[in-house]
């Protein structure tokens, strides 16, 4: 019987449940799309690695002392090992590989790639199937390169064309002599040199990035690895099997995919969390509207458990249908993500990869969340007494708002405490859990808050809109739980968006303040992509009329004990102090060959004074005893450590350039144009004055905020669906009442206005609640990280006011269909409706 009742109710309330299912669909689509997309990326990377280095049995590489994400300062191995290893029994082939930064300049004078996928320079090796020539030939002398076919297409180049390649040194004028068939490189670009040139430009003569060894038939890679390990000249080098080499490459990609998956799933969880409010509200209203029907079920013998199962059965039906459609929608979302990554330069060809995991997780999330959200309404339905079937009006049992006030306060305070712990340096997951508890707690408190808030928000309605305005306010006040549950869904999305905007506004204000306070140079010259050697550009800029001072800066890392630290290195520390507006507290900027300056907080935490010695270990495994020559005031743009350039150069074949700072006698348009002309041969360099530096940083912040807002927009859309659903069900619930209003003279226009105003009150209440919470969170986060650069609090009042207006617009749009439906009710049928 219960199964039949469940199916009948699903069929009878198709329209009501369709909107609920839509909330499930959107949330599940985000989950399914994320998992399908990352599975597709993983499959394509697996295919790429499956074709790369399959004949490698052993690889010799230098042990990595410093962990880097950009590939700079990667230690190398001596070329002499090739002859040593080639004499080991079981070795079939030995090849010293070279790789590093090399950016191809296209026919249009612009650098190809650089917005994410790497720009790789390699040595061309005819025996390697990865270096198969598609047209032309391989490079055999300096000044010749071969490029991959995808890069050639993007650059508009073919064999025989002249172009330029940017490396960590002077730009190289080259001839493209061949096009390589490298297959799908996921947006990376390949420039291949002859081996001698590759060593000179990318690493160092007499050095290789690594050495790969192929084994003779019948020799296992583990046996060969052990033989090779015995001849390695230093513990700084290691021999690993080809299997481990490929596994390490896969693990690096797995970390990237894990980050992307986690990042997107956070927003999927937010959407599902918002959807749970909609599901809860919908089932609460459906149960309330069917209370007499449920009482009849109890009267004819249905037990409480059976009534509960009937309602949960409907929830399962909605969850299954919503999850199924959500998986289909998720495939579309995965395609959109694929296109977005292509637009960013990462080429993911082919179709999508489907595995069982997205399907399994989609159904698990969709069904479980729907059932969990419907559980309490189902339990409430089971409490309807059988005797209520004999009454004309049946009221669902409601708990006192006092209990909600106490419980909501406890949950909110608990969430705030947990959030505070998360902001204090504990795992970030605690911050997320605390925020979720705050949202739940405020949602529990919202019915108590809604009454005074709705009265204030709707106070002007009677004067402005007369009777429809008064009725709209009364309707919103009639059921504070329903009003609060509907508003809470919108609250979550706008709270997160508001918090992000507070942090973004604070970040932009902080950057502007830091540039004004800590940046004295007239111009900053920075690379648009990694791989800059400031030496040559600095010479060109110094020759520009009006240029007084050019200061080059490099960035690197060293280990101090077990801790890894970043530093900036410069060859002219005195000029650097002037250009960076560095305030020395003690000591001097005369660093010599092995001098170091640290900021005050570092000196205090590490108990350093002028004359102290710091033992630093660099990427090549070598150590330096650095002398502390100066202590300076904290400088957010500069960082905590400034190192003498010779100390860095002693341990890096190609120190990573950070940029140039330029001081002139007159910072005007003519001077800037002269600097840009001097750097015309370096298309990856960007010249910025102080206003440009601020604008560039602020644009980056704005772009990130836009991305987050777009991802959060789905939760706001789901909240809007919740308002539509609530109003639609409310119209059904008040059918007889609306019919009576129409009978006593209320026009269709007035009826539509009443519904719209009710929607606006609910939406604005939710928006204001969310904005208030978002501002509190934003201020708390800014305060917690104020010592990490976010030292200026800025609340974007105009933006927040715009969000209030947006809330009202959402309310108007959400009410369009319910208002139209209410105005079209047949008056006689509505009056007779039970």
């Amino acid at each position: 019987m219960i199964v039949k009742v469940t199916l009948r109710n699903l069929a009878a309330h198709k329209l009501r449940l369709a909107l609920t299912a839509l909330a499930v669909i959107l949330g599940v689509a985000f989950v399914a799309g994320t998992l399908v997309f990352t599975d597709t990326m993983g499959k394509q990377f697996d295919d790429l690695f499956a074709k790369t280095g399959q004949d490698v049995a052993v690889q010799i590489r230098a042990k990595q002392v410093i962990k880097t994400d950009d590939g700079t300062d990667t230690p190398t191995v001596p070329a002499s090992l090739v002859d040593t290893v080639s004499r080991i029994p079981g070795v079939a082939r030995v090849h010293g590989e070279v790789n590093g930064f090399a950016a191809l300049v296209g026919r249009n004078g612009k650098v190809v790639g650089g917005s994410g996928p790497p720009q790789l320079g390699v040595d061309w090796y005819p025996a390697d199937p990865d270096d198969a020539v598609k047209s032309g030939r391989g490079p055999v002398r300096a000044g010749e390169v071969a490029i991959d076919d995808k890069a050639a297409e993007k650059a508009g180049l073919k064999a025989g064309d002249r172009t330029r390649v940017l490396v960590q040194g002077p730009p190289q004028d080259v001839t493209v002599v061949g096009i390589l068939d490298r297959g799908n490189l996921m947006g990376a670009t390949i420039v291949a040199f002859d081996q001698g040139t590759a060593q000179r430009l990318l690493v160092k003569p007499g050095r290789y990035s690594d050495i790969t060894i192929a084994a003779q038939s019948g020799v296992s890679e583990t046996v060969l690895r052990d033989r090779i390990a015995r001849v390695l000249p230093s513990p700084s080098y290691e021999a690993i099997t080809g299997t481990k080499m490929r596994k390490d490459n896969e693990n690096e990609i797995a970390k990237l995919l894990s980050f992307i998956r986690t990042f997107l799933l956070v927003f999927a969880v937010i959407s599902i969390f918002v959807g749970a409010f909609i599901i809860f509200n919908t089932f609460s209203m459906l149960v309330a509207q069917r209370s007499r029907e449920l009482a009849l079920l109890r009267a004819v013998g249905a037990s409480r458990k059976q009534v509960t199962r009937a309602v949960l059965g409907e929830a399962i039906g909605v969850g299954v249908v919503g999850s199924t459609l959500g998986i289909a929608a998720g495939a579309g979302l995965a395609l959109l993500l694929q296109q977005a990554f292509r637009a960013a330069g990462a080429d993911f060809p082919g179709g999508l990869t489907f595995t069982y995991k997205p399907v399994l997780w989609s159904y698990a999330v969709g069904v479980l969340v729907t059932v969990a959200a419907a559980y309490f309404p189902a339990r409430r339905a089971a409490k309807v007494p059988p005797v209520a079937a004999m009454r004309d009006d049946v009221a669902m049992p409601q708990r006192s708002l006092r209990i909600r006030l106490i419980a909501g306060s406890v949950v909110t305070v608990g969430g705030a405490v947990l959030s505070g712990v998360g902001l204090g340096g504990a795992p970030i997951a605690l911050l997320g859990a605390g925020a979720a508890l705050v949202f739940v707690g405020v949602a529990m408190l919202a019915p108590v808050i809604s009454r005074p808030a709705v009265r204030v928000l709707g106070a002007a309605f009677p004067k402005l809109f007369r009777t429809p305005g008064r009725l709209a306010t009364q309707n919103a006040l009639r059921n504070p739980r329903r009003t609060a549950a509907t508003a809470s869904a919108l609250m979550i999305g706008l709270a997160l968006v508001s918090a992000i905007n507070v942090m973004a506004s604070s970040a932009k204000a902080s950057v502007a303040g830091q540039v004004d306070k800590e940046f004295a140079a007239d111009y900053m010259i920075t690379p648009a992509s990694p791989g800059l050697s400031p030496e040559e550009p600095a010479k060109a800029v110094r020759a520009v009329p009006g240029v007084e001072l050019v200061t080059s800066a490099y960035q690197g890392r060293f280990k101090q004990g077990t801790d890894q630290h970043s530093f900036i290195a410069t060859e002219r520390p005195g000029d650097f102090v002037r250009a960076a507006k560095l305030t020395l507290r003690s000591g001097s900027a005369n660093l010599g060959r092995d001098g170091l300056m640290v900021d005050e907080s570092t000196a205090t935490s590490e108990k350093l004074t002028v004359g102290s010695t710091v033992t630093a270990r660099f990427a090549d495994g070598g150590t330096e005893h650095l002398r502390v020559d100066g202590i300076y005031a904290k400088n957010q743009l500069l960082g905590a450590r400034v190192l003498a350039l010779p100390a860095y150069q002693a341990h890096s074949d190609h120190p990573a350039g950070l940029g140039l700072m330029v001081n002139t006698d007159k910072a005007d348009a003519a001077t800037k144009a002269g600097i840009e002309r001097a750097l015309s041969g370096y298309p990856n360099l960007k010249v910025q004055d102080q206003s440009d530096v601020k604008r560039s940083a602020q644009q980056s912040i704005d772009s990130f905020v836009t991305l987050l807002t777009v991802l959060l927009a789905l939760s706001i859309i789901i909240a809007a669906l919740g308002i539509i659903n609530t109003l639609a069900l409310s119209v059904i619930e008040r059918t007889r009442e609306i019919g009576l209003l129409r009978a006593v003279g209320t026009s269709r226009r007035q009826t539509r206005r009443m519904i719209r105003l009710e929607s606006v009150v609910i939406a604005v209440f939710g928006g204001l609640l969310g904005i208030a919470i978002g501002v509190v969170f934003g201020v708390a986060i800014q305060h917690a990280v104020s010592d990490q650069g976010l030292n200026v609090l800025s609340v974007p009042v105009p933006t927040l006011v715009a969000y209030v207006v947006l809330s009202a617009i959402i309310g108007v749009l959400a009410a369009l269909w319910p208002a139209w439906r209410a105005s079209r009710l047949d008056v006689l049928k509505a009056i007779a409706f039970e």
Side-chain angles (χ1 to χ4, degrees):
M1 180 185 73
I2 294 302
V3 174
K4 289 182 179 180
V5 170
T6 299
L7 295 175
R8 182 182 62 79
N9 286 330
L10 284 171
H13 305 112
K14 292 188 289 290
L15 187 59
R16 308 180 201 182
L17 295 173
L19 290 173
T20 307
L22 192 54
V24 179
I25 290 168
L26 293 176
V28 169
F30 215 144
V31 174
T34 297
L35 296 177
V36 169
F37 175 66
T38 51
D39 281 350
T40 299
M41 289 180 67
K43 175 66 165 55
Q44 291 178 347
F45 276 114
D46 287 344
D47 291 343
L48 174 63
F49 291 137
K51 300 174 183 176
T52 304
Q54 283 302 301
D55 62 338
V56 175
V58 179
Q59 181 191 53
I60 300 173
R61 64 187 185 186
K63 292 180 180 178
Q64 193 173 23
V65 177
I66 304 295
K67 294 182 180 180
T68 64
D69 297 324
D70 53 11
T72 58
D73 284 343
T74 303
T76 57
V77 297
S80 58
L81 274 175
V82 169
D83 290 335
T84 303
V85 171
S86 63
R87 294 191 292 268
I88 293 176
V91 171
R93 177 181 59 80
V94 183
H95 173 58
E97 294 188 331
V98 181
N99 53 70
F101 168 78
L104 180 69
V105 178
R107 186 180 292 276
N108 60 1
K110 296 181 179 179
V111 176
V112 178
S115 57
Q119 298 160 299
L120 296 174
V122 300
D123 67 299
W124 182 67
Y125 183 50
D128 191 339
D130 290 336
D131 282 339
V133 177
K134 191 174 183 178
S135 63
R137 61 176 176 82
V140 294
R141 60 181 65 87
E144 295 181 346
V145 298
I147 60 178
D148 70 276
D149 50 359
K150 298 292 190 304
E153 183 180 341
K154 293 175 183 176
L157 298 172
K158 61 183 184 302
D161 288 344
R162 296 281 296 172
T163 188
R164 175 169 283 194
V165 174
L166 306 178
V167 295
Q168 286 186 294
Q172 304 295 307
D173 293 313
V174 298
T175 300
V176 178
V177 297
I179 307 298
L180 302 178
D181 183 7
R182 277 265 180 161
N184 175 35
L185 294 170
M186 309 298 184
T189 60
I190 298 291
V191 178
F193 305 88
D194 67 280
Q195 191 171 78
T197 302
Q199 287 177 292
R200 176 172 56 84
L201 296 178
L202 306 180
V203 287
K204 187 178 181 181
R207 308 289 295 187
Y208 290 126
S209 300
D210 58 71
I211 298 173
T212 57
I213 301 101
Q216 293 178 356
S217 178
V219 179
S220 74
E221 58 180 20
T222 53
V223 169
L224 190 58
R225 176 202 60 193
D226 294 341
R227 292 174 182 173
I228 292 171
R230 286 193 286 269
V231 303
L232 295 181
S234 165
S236 300
Y237 308 116
E238 63 179 346
I240 62 171
T241 63
T243 300
K244 178 172 172 52
M245 177 193 75
R246 291 182 285 274
K247 188 66 176 177
D248 287 348
N249 291 335
E250 291 172 4
N251 288 340
E252 289 301 313
I253 296 301
K255 291 178 184 176
L256 170 64
L257 294 181
S258 177
F259 171 78
I260 294 173
R261 184 184 296 114
T262 302
F263 178 74
L264 293 175
L265 284 178
V266 166
F267 296 93
V269 169
I270 293 169
S271 297
I272 291 167
F273 188 51
V274 172
F277 280 86
I278 309 306
I279 297 165
F280 172 83
N281 205 26
T282 301
F283 275 92
S284 294
M285 294 181 72
L286 287 175
V287 166
Q289 291 172 14
R290 289 156 46 196
S291 54
R292 193 175 183 193
E293 172 191 328
L294 296 170
L296 284 169
L297 280 175
R298 292 295 313 283
V300 297
S303 66
R304 285 190 174 188
K305 286 185 178 180
Q306 287 176 314
V307 173
T308 302
R309 288 171 189 165
V311 177
L312 291 180
E314 293 177 39
I316 292 171
V318 171
V320 169
V321 172
S323 299
T324 302
L325 297 176
I327 292 169
L333 180 60
L335 287 172
L336 289 177
L337 289 171
Q338 198 174 46
Q339 292 299 323
F341 272 71
R342 283 177 182 168
D347 187 17
F348 295 102
L352 300 175
T353 299
F354 291 93
T355 65
Y356 71 92
K357 290 182 180 179
V359 176
L360 183 64
W361 278 107
S362 295
Y363 278 112
V365 169
V367 175
L368 289 177
V369 169
T370 307
V371 170
Y375 176 74
F376 287 104
R379 287 289 303 272
R380 199 177 302 133
K383 294 179 181 179
V384 178
V387 71
M390 295 182 289
R391 295 169 53 188
D392 289 332
D393 58 325
V394 184
M396 294 297 298
Q398 297 283 356
R399 289 186 179 181
S400 168
L401 288 181
R402 185 177 299 175
I403 297 175
R404 291 181 70 99
L405 177 62
I406 295 171
S409 300
V410 170
V411 173
T412 303
V413 171
V417 170
L418 203 59
S419 298
V421 173
L423 288 172
I428 194 68
L430 288 180
L431 174 60
L437 284 177
V438 168
F439 288 136
V440 172
V442 173
M444 295 172 70
L445 292 171
V448 181
I449 304 170
S450 68
R451 284 176 170 168
V454 169
R455 285 194 181 96
V456 172
L457 292 173
F461 282 4
K463 293 181 180 179
L464 295 174
F465 305 105
R466 299 182 181 277
T467 301
R470 184 167 52 255
L471 291 173
T473 304
Q474 290 174 355
N475 288 336
L477 288 169
R478 181 183 302 180
N479 192 328
R481 288 179 173 83
R482 179 187 305 168
T483 298
T486 307
S488 295
L490 186 59
M491 168 195 75
I492 297 169
L494 286 180
L496 294 171
V497 171
S498 299
I500 289 167
N501 275 272
V502 170
M503 289 187 290
S505 180
S506 299
K508 289 192 285 187
S510 299
V511 167
Q514 288 164 9
V515 171
D516 291 336
K517 180 182 177 182
E518 303 171 352
F519 186 65
D522 295 315
Y523 299 100
M524 171 75 83
I525 300 172
T526 54
S529 56
L532 164 73
S533 177
E535 206 171 310
E536 295 298 322
K539 292 178 183 177
V541 174
R542 287 191 182 103
V544 175
V547 170
E548 295 181 339
L549 182 68
V550 179
T551 308
S552 58
Y554 299 78
Q555 61 182 344
R557 302 170 185 83
F558 62 64
K559 264 191 174 180
Q560 191 176 331
T562 58
D563 297 327
Q564 184 169 302
H565 301 295
S566 299
F567 62 81
I568 289 178
T570 179
E571 60 182 332
R572 300 181 181 182
D575 293 346
F576 187 78
V577 166
R578 173 185 166 188
K581 251 185 189 176
L582 210 62
T583 303
L584 283 173
R585 298 299 192 198
S586 60
S588 73
N590 298 320
L591 302 183
R593 181 201 167 279
D594 56 359
L596 175 70
M597 291 191 292
V598 298
D599 68 4
E600 287 178 304
S601 60
T602 300
T604 301
S605 63
E606 298 183 10
K607 299 179 181 179
L608 299 174
T609 59
V610 174
S612 298
T613 300
V614 171
T615 301
R617 190 179 182 199
F618 290 84
D620 66 347
T623 59
E624 288 281 345
H625 299 291
L626 305 175
R627 181 186 62 260
V628 177
D629 286 327
I631 297 173
Y632 57 89
K634 189 170 185 176
N635 187 302
Q636 296 288 356
L637 293 179
L638 182 62
R641 294 167 179 80
V642 178
L643 180 65
L645 183 59
Y648 183 22
Q649 289 175 323
H651 299 279
S652 176
D653 297 330
H654 294 280
L658 178 63
L660 300 170
M661 288 180 282
V662 182
N663 291 81
T664 63
D665 58 5
K666 187 177 181 181
D668 55 14
T671 304
K672 185 177 180 181
I675 295 173
E676 289 174 338
R677 281 194 300 272
L679 297 174
S680 59
Y682 302 87
N684 64 332
L685 295 182
K686 181 168 54 176
V687 181
Q688 296 178 303
D689 58 23
Q690 290 196 12
S691 62
D692 292 331
V693 171
K694 292 179 188 177
R695 193 179 306 112
S696 178
Q698 291 170 347
Q699 285 174 349
S700 298
I701 294 169
D702 286 338
S703 297
F704 187 60
V705 169
T706 300
L707 171 63
L708 297 181
T709 303
V710 168
L711 292 172
L712 286 170
L714 184 60
S715 66
I716 296 174
I717 292 171
I718 293 174
L721 288 173
I723 298 174
I724 296 172
N725 213 5
T726 298
L727 292 174
L729 290 169
S730 179
V731 167
I732 295 170
E733 186 178 86
R734 304 199 307 255
T735 297
R736 192 162 185 263
E737 174 188 319
I738 293 170
L740 288 170
L741 286 172
R742 296 278 287 114
V744 297
T746 304
S747 67
R748 288 182 173 180
R749 183 179 181 182
Q750 288 175 317
T751 302
R752 289 194 296 268
R753 180 173 293 172
M754 177 184 70
I755 301 296
R756 284 198 298 268
L757 292 175
E758 179 183 354
S759 178
V760 168
V761 167
I762 294 172
V764 171
F765 170 55
L768 289 172
L769 204 57
I771 291 168
I773 295 172
V775 170
V776 171
F777 267 117
V779 171
I781 294 172
Q782 183 275 329
H783 179 73
V785 298
S786 59
D787 60 341
Q788 300 177 25
L790 206 68
N791 54 359
V792 178
L793 174 63
S794 175
V795 179
V797 175
T799 302
L800 300 180
V801 171
Y803 287 148
V804 176
V805 175
L806 174 64
S807 300
I809 294 172
I810 289 172
V812 171
L813 296 176
L816 289 178
W817 177 67
W820 176 85
R821 194 166 185 267
S823 69
R824 306 301 295 180
L825 288 175
D826 184 285
V827 176
L828 294 177
K829 290 182 179 179
I831 293 173
F833 184 83
E834 293 185 5

